[in-house]
Amino acid sequence: MAKAKSKSTATLGVHSEVGQLHKVMVCAPSLAHSRLTPTNCDDLLFDDVLWVQNAKRDHFDFMTKMREFNIEVLEMHNLLAETVAIPQAKKWLLDRKVTENNVGPGLMQETRAYLESLEPRNLAEFLIGGLSVLDLSVKLSKSEFIELAREAHGATEYLLPPLPNTLYTRDTTCWIYGGVTLNPLYWPARKEETFLTTAIYKFHPSFTSETFEVWWGDPDAKHGLATVEGGDVMPVGNGAVLIGMSERTSRQGISQLAAALFEKDAASQVIIAAMPKLRSAMHLDTVFTFADRDLVTLYPEIMDQVKAVVLRPGDGKGALHVTLENKPFVDVVARALNLKKLRVVETGGDAYAAERQQWDSGNNLVAAKPGVVFAYDRNTTTNTHLRKEGIEVVTIVGAELGRGRGGGHCMTCPIVRDPIDY
């Protein structure tokens, strides 16, 4: 991966939450979602199985609408196929995916040979969608070790795990100002995802020709309790980064990331949102996102409980200065952006409707530019309140795409976004 000597020389980077979005990575529904069943969807972090054909249609519509705003949309299957077409990249990935821990002793050689034989597009499909014991050729299926694998769980026994949560590209990496993080994810079902995005950044010409920093993270390292997921991370501008301390992003991960950003002069402060650890509010962006330079939408039932903690560079290398704030989180964020206050649109409806719309990602917006956001169509009351505040709401269909509890913000990994002058 290319590395800049300073953040000012970076050619890729995300410098706000609402500035003009120029480039974004998404991952369309595919084979991985066809692998979801009623018996495994909980383990794979989905609340139900998807109607995959409709999910594909709705995701394509989302990509089309973003392109109508002159946003360059990079689809992850395409990027990965182009990446594994590079021999060095294919070797790097397969060395890390085809392991005894994933495949099991006795099947390493056969599995590696099968994957090596595939065309790049098919290989990319299996790397994201998972390789079942039934996917191997008839010749390889004669192996006694394959019979052992089938005896374990039959068709649902995987040599490579399906990764349906790649749909939510926000989490695996975070573009923060002039660089990126390679995130250690919380749940075992997602940990393999970071290898895929790292390979893309490391080998794909779209990234090797650019200049950027890798702030923190290494998929080859053991991070222990230090986990970070991109749904909790927002580079809002003016040198500030918001990070939710949530179900999936730990204080260990936050403090390590903050220290790395400060050491490289990439940020001036990290504002932690100390959140309750709930499935319904797994990330900060499930209850709080920006819609305009001075407007946020939030779910008050959760955000009223959030405590703000501000990290700044301390004395000495790696040292952090910690301030426990007594102001509401939104006021701390407003101060960081040199604003008197933030306008707030709360989740719409009565107590029942608001809880339902938060569950359905009503506060999970992604901005195309200041005052223009993509939102799920089903959250009609919240969307109406946003429109009354002058926000242009471009709706996308969320009935299938939201079954893993993520909206437009979750489904997008911004790679190039303009700053906002605060």
Side-chain angles (χ1 to χ4, degrees):
M1 272 171 282
K3 285 195 175 184
K5 292 183 179 179
S6 70
K7 61 180 179 178
S8 62
T9 64
T11 55
L12 300 178
V14 172
H15 302 275
S16 68
E17 277 289 297
V18 295
Q20 174 66 52
L21 181 58
H22 293 284
K23 183 178 291 190
V24 69
M25 181 170 65
V26 301
C27 188
S30 61
L31 176 64
H33 301 93
S34 300
R35 308 284 204 193
L36 290 170
T37 68
T39 55
N40 72 12
C41 63
D42 283 346
D43 290 338
L44 294 174
L45 309 181
F46 274 69
D47 294 310
D48 199 354
V49 299
L50 273 69
W51 184 357
V52 179
Q53 288 177 313
N54 275 20
K56 288 181 177 180
R57 177 201 65 191
D58 298 340
H59 193 273
F60 186 83
D61 177 65
F62 180 33
M63 291 191 290
T64 299
K65 287 176 175 175
M66 284 194 286
R67 289 174 175 136
E68 289 171 353
F69 284 90
N70 297 316
I71 299 167
E72 181 183 358
V73 180
L74 307 176
E75 201 283 318
M76 190 173 172
H77 288 82
N78 296 336
L79 288 173
L80 191 58
E82 292 160 358
T83 299
V84 297
I86 302 167
Q88 184 184 4
K90 179 195 279 191
K91 181 180 185 304
W92 188 92
L93 257 180
L94 293 183
D95 285 349
R96 286 156 177 80
K97 296 286 286 182
V98 184
T99 65
E100 287 194 354
N101 287 337
N102 280 342
V103 177
L107 288 174
M108 293 273 292
Q109 183 176 347
E110 292 88 346
T111 302
R112 179 71 178 247
Y114 178 70
L115 294 173
E116 291 272 13
S117 73
L118 297 174
E119 293 297 316
R121 181 69 194 193
N122 290 337
L123 176 56
E125 286 281 351
F126 282 127
L127 288 172
I128 295 174
L131 182 70
S132 163
V133 296
L134 298 186
D135 292 322
L136 295 184
S137 67
V138 173
K139 179 180 178 181
L140 294 179
S141 70
K142 302 297 184 182
S143 164
E144 294 177 353
F145 287 98
I146 282 287
E147 293 303 320
L148 175 63
R150 286 175 175 166
E151 286 298 320
H153 289 99
T156 62
E157 180 69 7
Y158 291 99
L159 303 172
L160 297 182
L163 302 173
N165 292 281
T166 50
L167 173 64
Y168 305 119
T169 53
R170 175 75 56 161
D171 295 325
T172 311
T173 60
C174 307
W175 289 86
I176 303 172
Y177 298 116
V180 69
T181 62
L182 309 175
N183 297 335
L185 305 181
Y186 179 74
W187 287 108
R190 299 201 65 178
K191 289 184 181 295
E192 294 283 318
E193 295 176 39
T194 306
F195 284 119
L196 304 184
T197 43
T198 299
I200 290 168
Y201 297 157
K202 187 176 180 67
F203 296 103
H204 194 281
S206 294
F207 295 92
T208 58
S209 62
E210 303 288 353
T211 307
F212 58 92
E213 284 271 10
V214 176
W215 300 133
W216 179 77
D218 179 353
D220 286 327
K222 293 182 179 180
H223 289 84
L225 297 177
T227 58
V228 170
E229 299 199 357
D232 282 311
V233 180
M234 301 181 191
V236 291
N238 208 34
V241 181
L242 313 185
I243 305 183
M245 187 166 64
S246 66
E247 178 194 55
R248 301 188 183 184
T249 297
S250 68
R251 62 175 176 82
Q252 295 90 336
I254 294 171
S255 57
Q256 289 185 36
L257 174 54
L261 292 172
F262 296 153
E263 181 182 352
K264 298 178 181 180
D265 195 29
S268 57
Q269 61 179 311
V270 168
I271 303 173
I272 299 173
M275 300 170 59
K277 292 174 171 54
L278 301 171
R279 164 68 171 162
S280 61
M282 71 186 83
H283 294 136
L284 178 60
D285 72 357
T286 63
V287 289
F288 176 97
T289 50
F290 274 75
D292 203 348
R293 67 184 306 276
D294 66 340
L295 187 147
V296 298
T297 180
L298 59 81
Y299 182 52
E301 289 295 316
I302 297 295
M303 292 306 298
D304 286 350
Q305 303 176 48
V306 166
K307 304 296 183 184
V309 182
V310 179
L311 303 182
R312 296 183 178 87
D315 297 328
K317 183 177 180 179
L320 300 174
H321 182 272
V322 182
T323 303
L324 304 179
E325 296 284 351
N326 55 16
K327 294 181 179 181
F329 179 75
V330 291
D331 291 346
V332 176
V333 175
R335 181 186 68 197
L337 299 177
N338 296 325
L339 298 171
K340 290 184 178 179
K341 64 181 298 184
L342 284 168
R343 293 185 290 150
V344 174
V345 171
E346 297 183 352
T347 321
D350 59 22
Y352 301 105
E355 184 176 353
R356 286 167 57 87
Q357 292 194 44
Q358 185 277 322
W359 180 253
D360 290 329
S361 301
N363 306 111
N364 193 257
L365 312 177
V366 63
K369 59 184 180 179
V372 179
V373 299
F374 299 99
Y376 279 156
D377 55 351
R378 65 195 302 165
N379 299 306
T380 53
T381 310
T382 304
N383 292 345
T384 296
H385 291 337
L386 287 163
R387 290 182 174 117
K388 287 180 178 179
E389 288 294 325
I391 304 301
E392 180 181 346
V393 180
V394 181
T395 55
I396 55 178
V397 179
E400 300 302 322
L401 296 175
R403 290 188 187 273
R405 306 273 62 84
H409 201 268
C410 292
M411 289 189 293
T412 51
C413 175
I415 295 169
V416 178
R417 190 191 281 280
D418 285 346
I420 292 290
D421 183 10
Y422 286 107

